[in-house]
Amino acid sequence: MSPYITDAWAWQESWDRQQEAYLPDREHRFTAMLDTVDAVLDGRPPRVLDLAGGTGTISLRTLARFPEAEMTLVDLDPALLAIAHASLGDRATIVTADLGVPDWHATLPHREYDAVLTATALHWLPADRLGQLYAELRDVLRPGGVFVNADHMPDDTLPELTKRLLTRARDRRDARYAAGATLSWSDWWARAGADPALAPLVAQRQAIYPSGHSPEWNPPVSWHLAALTAAGFAEVGTVWRGGVDAAVAATR
């Protein structure tokens, strides 16, 4: 167990429930992502990079699907990384790195990965940096490896329907908050900040992000496909869609 936190599974469950308020089909996208990984493996255990992995959500599900997987998790948030350390133990290599800078991959334990997976995280990066990161991720993959990004990626051919879907989702989420069915993002962080083990790490997080993350930037799926193509991937496309969210995949 991590020296920072002893109730890792309770915090994992709490994080999952908070995230599911935003993403009711969250597990469906993870299944689609892991199906995509499976398609490039030829039956061997994968080496997977969990990018902006937070508490280890993707790593835990990857290990449940592929018990012999070799996992690396990268993130910058000290509080979420403490939960990941406590949950994953020695089943993953955990790296602290800032995806906002080009040398973020210098401390990775491997030169090449079979798959790079990320979900609901890269919308914090501005357009120019995300385009650069896509090119950097191509170089982290082995030939034939796959990158999958699941995030808020509206269909730009349905602008008015997308607005209605977002409104309906917000109303359902607000109703759950009002009924106490789940915690909001801010409530979850308030609870973490009040926990004796996590409080110092939440304070560190606030020093890293003094005004919070950068504003969310959620371009349509077509932007991601164009950026991945420009980054030099061999094939790009959409492997999953749920409402205004999607998962794009790109193979080297």
Side-chain angles (χ1 to χ4, degrees):
M1 294 293 286
S2 163
Y4 300 121
I5 178 173
T6 57
D7 298 321
W9 290 106
W11 282 108
Q12 285 286 356
E13 182 180 3
S14 177
W15 178 260
D16 283 345
R17 299 295 86 78
Q18 177 264 130
Q19 287 286 290
E20 287 164 1
Y22 291 93
L23 312 166
D25 48 15
R26 188 166 175 253
E27 297 300 328
H28 296 168
R29 73 191 66 199
F30 293 147
T31 298
M33 295 170 76
L34 295 176
D35 286 346
T36 304
V37 174
D38 192 33
V40 303
L41 292 182
D42 298 324
R44 54 191 175 74
R47 177 181 289 168
V48 178
L49 176 60
D50 183 357
L51 192 72
T55 67
T57 297
I58 289 175
S59 291
L60 290 166
R61 284 153 181 77
T62 301
L63 288 164
R65 173 93 174 249
F66 308 106
E68 301 303 316
E70 192 172 5
M71 296 300 307
T72 303
L73 185 153
V74 172
D75 206 289
L76 185 61
D77 189 310
L80 299 184
L81 284 172
I83 298 172
H85 271 290
S87 300
L88 290 163
D90 60 2
R91 294 186 295 165
T93 300
I94 297 179
V95 176
T96 301
D98 183 357
L99 298 181
V101 297
D103 66 348
W104 64 271
H105 50 80
T107 55
L108 293 179
H110 307 291
R111 292 178 59 87
E112 292 186 333
Y113 289 82
D114 295 299
V116 179
L117 305 178
T118 188
T120 328
L122 301 188
H123 56 256
W124 297 114
L125 294 175
D128 58 346
R129 178 59 198 140
L130 183 53
Q132 293 168 1
L133 179 63
Y134 279 169
E136 293 157 10
L137 290 171
R138 179 190 176 278
D139 294 336
V140 168
L141 288 168
R142 66 161 174 82
V146 65
F147 166 62
V148 188
N149 178 15
D151 211 333
H152 311 306
M153 299 181 186
D155 186 333
D156 40 358
T157 65
L158 297 170
E160 293 305 317
L161 181 57
T162 293
K163 292 177 185 177
R164 290 175 176 269
L165 288 169
L166 286 169
T167 298
R168 298 300 191 276
R170 183 199 62 213
D171 291 346
R172 287 194 296 271
R173 188 166 60 247
D174 288 347
R176 296 190 71 199
Y177 293 156
T182 189
L183 297 175
S184 68
W185 172 267
S186 58
D187 287 342
W188 191 91
W189 279 107
R191 298 263 182 126
D195 180 85
L198 287 174
L201 302 172
V202 173
Q204 290 178 29
R205 177 186 192 272
Q206 292 168 345
I208 295 171
Y209 307 113
S211 58
H213 285 288
S214 302
E216 286 191 34
W217 180 69
N218 299 305
V221 69
S222 60
W223 184 94
H224 292 275
L225 298 178
L228 289 165
T229 300
F233 285 93
E235 294 183 357
V236 302
T238 304
V239 292
W240 175 85
R241 173 164 287 286
V244 299
D245 287 8
V248 295
T251 58
R252 178 173 179 181

